[in-house]
């Protein structure tokens, strides 16, 4: 559902005055607002508080980690409501209750649409008996058209295996605004396209002074999107993989059963002195996301016991299990050792995995076509026309 003029529903607690419109006769007077207006800094929060208070009055509970998630147990039926400013998605295990919720919201607020979810925030949703599939095909095609790449030659991988970007100080400068626009558009696409996560994040590091070599790398990503416009949707790192400052990249993906639900690619804040340290830091970042997901499951009424974390570096796994501080680990920042506590509590089990079975490799480095396609398939990135 979509709210009409959502911000105008919010009540403000501060005294806010505005000038009168120029065509009014009364001069020298101001108008005091009772409700929010578009353009006020507090308008989004005022709207959220109005909607939050209304839902709480109806018996909903706020999520512990996601304040925009509202859940309610109705005679054993789980009702879920997720809000994003003025856009709301909701559902229930009892379809009748969903219709009742729509009627209730229409009586309180003015609505412009209540229908089955098939498009949300640029995402296309396809609901079939086999599951719910999310993709951004329309966004992808519009992206190619926007940057005049609609007729480009397709390519099978987003980055070449021998391509290693650096600052390229002697390269020819290009238009920064256009480069940043391309990067921003691609970053939004990574929310459903994990296969371009690594290559896009690598290109983002050169926005301050982009060169032709960097633009060429971005255009290759767009050519790859031309090749795969309909795709939808462990812990790892590369030691000193970034050639500019030699910092490593933390990568991670998280699966519930066989379903991929989260992925990330982020340059580490410090230079690691060994592969084990880089892997250990990446594992800690990966588990921080797991903790968030476990709490989210509780908000949805689910439960998750011990979580396995697969790490291909045996030394990193042993550091997490061994609480002894020695010369090889004393240089690691203490904040990364929270992983040991959860290992000791039994919240997590860190086990080794062979390099060829490490799914997170797709977020770590450029891969050959065969390996890239295999990992992409194992992460359930599929062609939605097959369903």
């Amino acid at each position: 559902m979509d709210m009409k003029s959502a911000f105008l529903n919010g009540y403000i607690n501060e005294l806010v005055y505005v000038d009168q419109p120029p065509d009014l006769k009364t001069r020298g007077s101001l108008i005091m607002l009772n409700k929010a207006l578009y353009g006020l800094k507090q308008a989004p929060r005022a709207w959220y508080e109005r909607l939050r208070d209304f839902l709480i009055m109806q018996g909903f509970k706020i999520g512990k980690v996601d304040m925009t998630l509202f859940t309610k147990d109705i005679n054993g039926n789980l009702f879920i409501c997720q809000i994003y400013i003025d856009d709301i998605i909701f559902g229930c295990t009892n379809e009748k209750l969903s219709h009742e919720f729509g009627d209730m919201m229409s009586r309180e607020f003015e609505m412009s649409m209540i229908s089955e979810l098939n498009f949300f925030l640029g995402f296309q949703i396809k609901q079939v008996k086999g599951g719910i599939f999310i993709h951004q095909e329309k966004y992808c095609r519009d992206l190619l058209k926007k940057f005049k790449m609609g007729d480009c030659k397709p390519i099978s991988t987003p980055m070449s295996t021998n391509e290693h970007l650096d600052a390229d100080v002697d390269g020819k400068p290009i238009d920064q605004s256009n480069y940043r626009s391309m990067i921003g558009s691609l970053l939004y696409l990574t929310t459903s396209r994990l296969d371009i996560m690594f290559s896009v994040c690598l290109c983002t590091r050169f926005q301050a002074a982009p060169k032709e070599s960097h633009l060429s790398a971005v255009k290759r990503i767009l050519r790859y999107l031309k090749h795969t416009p309909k795709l939808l949707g462990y812990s790892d790192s590369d030691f000193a993989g970034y050639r500019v400052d030699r910092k490593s990249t933390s990568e991670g993906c998280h699966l519930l059963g066989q379903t991929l639900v989260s992925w990330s690619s982020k340059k580490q804040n410090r230079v690691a002195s060994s592969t084990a340290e880089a892997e250990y830091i990446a594992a800690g970042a990966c588990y921080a996301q797991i903790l968030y997901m476990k709490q989210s499951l509780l908000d949805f009424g689910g439960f998750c016991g011990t979580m396995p974390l697969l790490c291909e570096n045996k030394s990193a796994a042993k550091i997490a299990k061994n609480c002894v501080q020695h010369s090889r680990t004393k240089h690691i920042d203490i904040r990364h050792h929270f992983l040991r506590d959860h290992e000791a509590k039994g919240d997590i089990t860190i086990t080794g995995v062979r390099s060829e079975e490490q799914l997170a490799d797709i977020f770590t480095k450029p891969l050959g076509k065969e390996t890239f396609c295999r990992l992409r398939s194992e992460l359930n990135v599929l062609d939605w026309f097959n369903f």
Side-chain angles (χ1 to χ4, degrees):
M1 61 171 60
D2 182 66
M3 299 283 182
K4 282 187 177 181
S5 304
F7 287 1
L8 302 183
N9 292 287
Y11 297 105
I12 54 177
N13 300 319
E14 304 84 4
L15 288 176
V16 178
Y17 296 92
V18 297
D19 287 330
Q20 295 188 54
D23 57 336
L24 291 182
K25 295 181 179 180
T26 306
R27 299 301 177 187
S29 299
L30 298 175
I31 297 175
M32 185 178 73
L33 296 181
N34 290 324
K35 289 187 176 182
L37 283 179
Y38 281 85
L40 285 180
K41 291 183 179 180
Q42 58 266 56
R45 177 171 289 277
W47 156 242
Y48 167 77
E49 291 175 348
R50 169 75 192 284
L51 180 58
R52 177 201 63 192
D53 294 343
F54 174 74
L55 292 176
I56 290 177
M57 287 179 59
Q58 305 304 319
F60 283 84
K61 295 181 180 180
I62 304 179
K64 298 293 183 181
V65 296
D66 186 352
M67 304 300 288
T68 64
L69 172 67
F70 295 84
T71 59
K72 183 179 181 181
D73 186 288
I74 309 174
N75 299 324
N77 295 292
L78 177 63
F79 193 99
I80 297 172
C81 174
Q82 183 82 54
I83 65 174
Y84 184 83
I85 310 177
D86 58 345
D87 293 309
I88 300 177
I89 53 176
F90 61 94
C92 184
T93 51
N94 186 324
E95 187 176 356
K96 179 182 177 181
L97 296 176
S98 292
H99 292 296
E100 292 178 357
F101 177 80
D103 295 337
M104 177 189 72
M105 294 293 287
S106 296
R107 290 192 296 269
E108 183 69 16
F109 305 102
E110 188 176 357
M111 316 298 298
S112 62
M113 178 188 68
I114 299 179
S115 62
E116 182 178 292
L117 179 66
N118 51 46
F119 191 84
F120 188 71
L121 302 179
F123 290 85
Q124 294 166 261
I125 295 92
K126 184 177 183 179
Q127 303 187 49
V128 296
K129 291 184 179 180
I132 299 176
F133 296 86
I134 300 174
H135 63 98
Q136 291 176 280
E137 181 192 2
K138 182 180 183 302
Y139 179 86
C140 183
R141 294 191 183 281
D142 291 343
L143 175 64
L144 291 170
K145 183 178 179 181
K146 176 182 178 181
F147 297 110
K148 301 178 181 180
M149 297 287 289
D151 297 326
C152 65
K153 184 178 179 181
I155 199 165
S156 58
T157 60
M159 183 169 282
S160 171
T161 54
N162 58 4
E163 188 171 13
H164 300 282
L165 294 181
D166 54 29
D168 193 11
V169 292
D170 298 324
K172 183 179 179 181
I174 59 171
D175 179 26
Q176 291 186 15
S177 61
N178 183 61
Y179 184 83
R180 291 172 179 174
S181 178
M182 297 172 80
I183 290 295
S185 300
L186 287 170
L187 281 173
Y188 189 68
L189 189 60
T190 60
T191 54
S192 69
R193 293 292 300 268
L194 62 91
D195 47 333
I196 63 172
M197 172 68 78
F198 171 74
S199 51
V200 171
C201 288
L202 182 59
C203 292
T204 61
R205 300 170 187 174
F206 306 99
Q207 294 184 77
K211 304 296 174 61
E212 281 189 342
S213 59
H214 307 137
L215 180 61
S216 177
V218 172
K219 286 186 175 180
R220 180 182 173 114
I221 299 174
L222 294 174
R223 291 174 59 197
Y224 170 70
L225 295 177
K226 175 72 174 180
H227 178 68
T228 58
K230 308 179 186 68
L231 291 183
L232 47 95
Y234 306 97
S235 155
D236 196 16
S237 78
D238 68 326
F239 175 54
Y242 186 40
R243 292 195 169 189
V244 177
D245 56 18
R246 307 311 293 178
K247 292 180 180 179
S248 304
T249 303
S250 293
E251 323 285 347
C253 56
H254 310 86
L255 298 91
L256 290 176
Q258 296 298 317
T259 303
L260 183 70
V261 295
S262 175
W263 53 89
S264 64
S265 175
K266 183 179 181 181
K267 187 174 71 170
Q268 295 178 1
N269 295 325
R270 53 173 290 174
V271 177
S273 60
S274 65
T275 302
E277 181 183 359
E279 294 271 4
Y280 185 65
I281 294 174
C286 184
Y287 187 63
Q289 178 66 14
I290 290 176
L291 288 177
Y292 173 86
M293 291 167 54
K294 290 181 71 172
Q295 182 58 56
S296 296
L297 281 174
L298 293 176
D299 291 337
F300 281 105
F303 172 78
C304 189
T306 301
M307 297 285 290
L309 179 60
L310 305 181
C311 180
E312 68 180 65
N313 187 278
K314 295 181 179 179
S315 297
K318 290 179 180 178
I319 292 173
K321 297 179 180 180
N322 184 8
C323 61
V324 177
Q325 190 83 342
H326 51 71
S327 59
R328 293 187 178 182
T329 60
K330 66 181 181 180
H331 61 282
I332 299 178
D333 197 322
I334 190 66
R335 64 191 176 93
H336 299 301
H337 289 306
F338 86 103
L339 200 61
R340 290 178 176 175
D341 295 332
H342 289 282
E343 168 75 23
K345 292 177 183 177
D347 296 333
I348 184 174
T349 301
I350 301 180
T351 57
V353 62
R354 294 187 302 175
S355 297
E356 57 269 23
E357 297 176 357
Q358 177 55 270
L359 301 184
D361 270 352
I362 198 172
F363 305 103
T364 305
K365 60 182 78 71
L367 300 171
K369 179 180 177 181
E370 182 178 348
T371 303
F372 180 84
C373 294
R374 177 178 61 83
L375 292 180
R376 188 181 65 188
S377 176
E378 289 187 23
L379 289 171
N380 287 334
V381 181
L382 310 168
D383 187 336
W384 69 277
F385 274 128
N386 294 329
F387 295 87

